[in-house]
Amino acid sequence: MILIADSGSTKTDWRLLLPNGKIAQATTVGFNPNYQTAENIQTELLENLLPQLGGNQPTHIYFYGAGCSTEAKCSLVAGAILTVFPHSQVQVMSDVVAAARGTCGHSAGIACILGTGSNSCLYDGQNITAQMPCLGFTLGNEGSGSYIGKKLLNLYLNNELPSDLQEAFRKQYPQTQAEILHHIYNEPFPNRYVASFAHFLQGRQRHPFIADLLHQNFLDFFRLTVCKYPNYQALPTHFVGSVAFYFADILRKTAKSQNIQVGRVLQSPIAGLALYHQEAAGNI
């Protein structure tokens, strides 16, 4: 019995591959070892994941997660999982591996994550062969919800949005400047909080100012990541994540302007990951 997790900073999608070939689903909050302790992760698994699994105990767990980019961070997450599932074999990998396996499968391509945060890699069909630096919430995350959320907040708080958008934003988010800054600088998970403001852009993509803001967001990502991979124009570039999914039209137009071939655009790579591990286990 195999349990698979695709974890971003906001949400984790789980799939349990049962011996009869059926697949069970579960959802919990996201885990990121850059912002959470092993105890935080353990508590969420015990209180919210276990009840959804209906008593099933996996033999193997493959956890793909945001922030799982070093051995130390992977060990922290693995330790928390093993506390809850002590008889399972646990493997923890970066969410960019999930993006590659879930979109490229066994073919070469470029896999990108555009969700709360962002990441990318060059994949040869079996392994990641190159990866641009992922500088995180403070220094990077171009193309992501947190990146565009920071830009949107900056414009709003400086009264730089067009008047119609300034008023609409104020009505949708009535928090004061002091409350917003307190949440960013004093509360946990500032990346999630800032990324949540990207919801304001949904349904407003046709507004010229919003369209340009999204175009520039994706252009920054392409310039600093995809366009630096060798032979990037000849390979399909795939995307996973809520920002890529909900703003796919502008993403595709921006990619075309950079001669980037867009392949799959998925909200989550979890279905592709389930297929990948079914094939690896010989269950299909």
Side-chain angles (χ1 to χ4, degrees):
M1 195 179 303
I2 297 172
L3 181 63
I4 306 163
D6 171 53
S7 183
S9 293
T10 300
K11 183 183 75 167
T12 303
D13 288 318
W14 301 83
R15 294 293 184 272
L16 184 66
L17 309 185
L18 299 165
N20 61 6
K22 293 185 177 181
I23 300 176
Q25 304 180 20
T27 304
T28 64
V29 300
F31 304 116
N32 190 321
N34 289 321
Y35 304 106
Q36 290 157 291
T37 65
E39 290 74 19
N40 296 148
I41 297 171
Q42 180 185 337
T43 298
E44 177 67 16
L45 295 175
L46 285 168
E47 294 182 356
N48 293 313
L49 177 63
L50 275 182
Q52 296 183 68
L53 295 183
N56 288 298
Q57 291 291 318
T59 56
H60 296 77
I61 299 175
Y62 298 96
F63 184 96
Y64 300 88
C68 298
S69 55
T70 66
E71 185 175 344
K73 299 299 184 183
C74 290
S75 295
L76 183 151
V77 175
I81 295 172
L82 282 167
T83 302
V84 180
F85 301 100
H87 304 297
S88 299
Q89 294 185 31
V90 178
Q91 188 173 357
V92 177
M93 293 157 280
S94 167
D95 56 351
V96 77
V97 179
R101 290 179 173 179
T103 59
C104 299
H106 299 286
S107 301
I110 297 169
C112 305
I113 299 169
L114 295 177
T116 300
S118 66
N119 210 334
S120 68
C121 72
L122 182 64
Y123 185 70
D124 67 2
Q126 290 186 320
N127 300 298
I128 291 174
T129 57
Q131 189 172 3
M132 292 299 110
C134 179
L135 302 180
F137 172 62
T138 303
L139 295 179
N141 273 354
E142 294 82 9
S144 72
S146 61
Y147 186 79
I148 200 166
K150 281 192 289 188
K151 287 186 176 294
L152 189 60
L153 279 174
N154 183 281
L155 290 165
Y156 170 69
L157 294 174
N158 283 298
N159 201 32
E160 288 291 320
L161 290 174
S163 58
D164 59 330
L165 294 177
Q166 191 79 17
E167 182 60 25
F169 193 94
R170 183 180 293 109
K171 288 181 178 178
Q172 188 167 336
Y173 303 103
Q175 300 98 312
T176 65
Q177 175 178 315
E179 289 171 334
I180 292 172
L181 294 179
H182 174 82
H183 205 124
I184 293 172
Y185 292 107
N186 299 105
E187 298 292 330
F189 310 116
N191 57 331
R192 287 185 194 171
Y193 177 72
V194 170
S196 71
F197 290 97
H199 292 299
F200 178 78
L201 306 178
Q202 286 183 238
R204 294 185 170 94
Q205 293 99 310
R206 293 188 179 181
H207 192 293
F209 189 89
I210 297 298
D212 185 65
L213 194 64
L214 286 165
H215 169 74
Q216 190 59 53
N217 182 52
F218 295 136
L219 200 61
D220 288 349
F221 176 75
F222 292 146
R223 180 175 58 84
L224 291 172
T225 57
V226 177
C227 294
K228 291 188 176 181
Y229 290 118
N231 207 30
Y232 74 91
Q233 294 175 327
L235 292 168
T237 299
H238 307 289
F239 299 87
V240 300
S242 57
V243 172
F245 184 78
Y246 286 113
F247 305 117
D249 287 347
I250 295 176
L251 174 71
R252 291 181 184 276
K253 289 177 183 177
T254 307
K256 186 177 181 180
S257 73
Q258 303 301 303
N259 295 317
I260 293 169
Q261 301 178 37
V262 176
R264 297 180 179 90
V265 181
L266 308 174
Q267 190 169 6
S268 167
I270 193 67
L273 284 174
L275 179 62
Y276 181 92
H277 285 287
Q278 281 181 316
E279 291 176 341
N283 291 335
I284 60 173

